[in-house]
Amino acid sequence: MKFNEKLIELRKTKGLSQEELGNELGVSRQTVSKWELGQSYPDFQKLVILSDFFNISLDKLIKDIDLDDVRENNSDNEKVSKMYEDFQTVKTALNYLLNFFAFIGVVGILAIIALILI
């Protein structure tokens, strides 16, 4: 049985909703949902807390985790983070450029007004 399937089973056995489990672990319902859908995996600290909460060994909790899936999800998360950082860099550069052109425009208008008044 895969980790996400185990988590669903353990949560339902305790009669908890995703939100209730999230509250117990200090994470959002959406995070629990992602774990149960196999879209992401808990970090080591959360795995230990899950293990204690469900009174199950770490070995039994994670034994069937597909390490390739974990690596792929982590790689995807890193790519998204890098894309976001790149986007922020471009956004900052564009803001500087727009401010520069606005400044040049104001200076140009002032120069034209000065020429007219002379």
Side-chain angles (χ1 to χ4, degrees):
M1 180 182 298
K2 292 182 177 184
F3 170 77
N4 61 320
E5 295 167 343
K6 284 182 194 176
L7 183 58
I8 293 168
E9 183 178 295
L10 290 166
R11 177 179 59 79
K12 287 184 176 181
T13 298
K14 280 213 172 205
L16 298 172
S17 67
Q18 289 179 339
E19 186 163 358
E20 290 168 330
L21 179 58
N23 290 336
E24 291 289 332
L25 302 173
V27 299
S28 67
R29 177 202 59 77
Q30 290 85 351
T31 298
V32 174
S33 175
K34 286 182 180 182
W35 294 345
E36 289 185 355
L37 292 171
Q39 294 175 346
S40 67
Y41 294 93
D43 62 24
F44 184 74
Q45 289 177 323
K46 295 298 184 213
L47 286 171
V48 171
I49 293 170
L50 279 166
S51 169
D52 290 343
F53 182 78
F54 290 118
N55 196 27
I56 185 174
S57 71
L58 277 172
D59 183 52
K60 287 187 179 183
L61 182 63
I62 64 171
K63 189 163 184 149
D64 293 328
I65 288 180
D66 184 345
L67 293 179
D68 288 334
D69 283 348
V70 172
R71 286 186 192 105
E72 183 178 323
N73 282 333
N74 286 339
S75 175
D76 289 346
N77 290 340
E78 289 171 9
K79 288 176 186 174
V80 168
S81 293
K82 178 68 174 134
M83 287 171 47
Y84 179 76
E85 289 172 16
D86 291 346
F87 173 75
Q88 291 298 344
T89 302
V90 169
K91 182 179 170 185
T92 301
L94 285 174
N95 280 334
Y96 285 130
L97 192 60
L98 288 174
N99 288 336
F100 173 74
F101 284 126
F103 174 75
I104 295 298
V106 169
V107 169
I109 290 171
L110 290 175
I112 291 170
I113 291 172
L115 287 173
I116 292 173
L117 293 177
I118 294 180

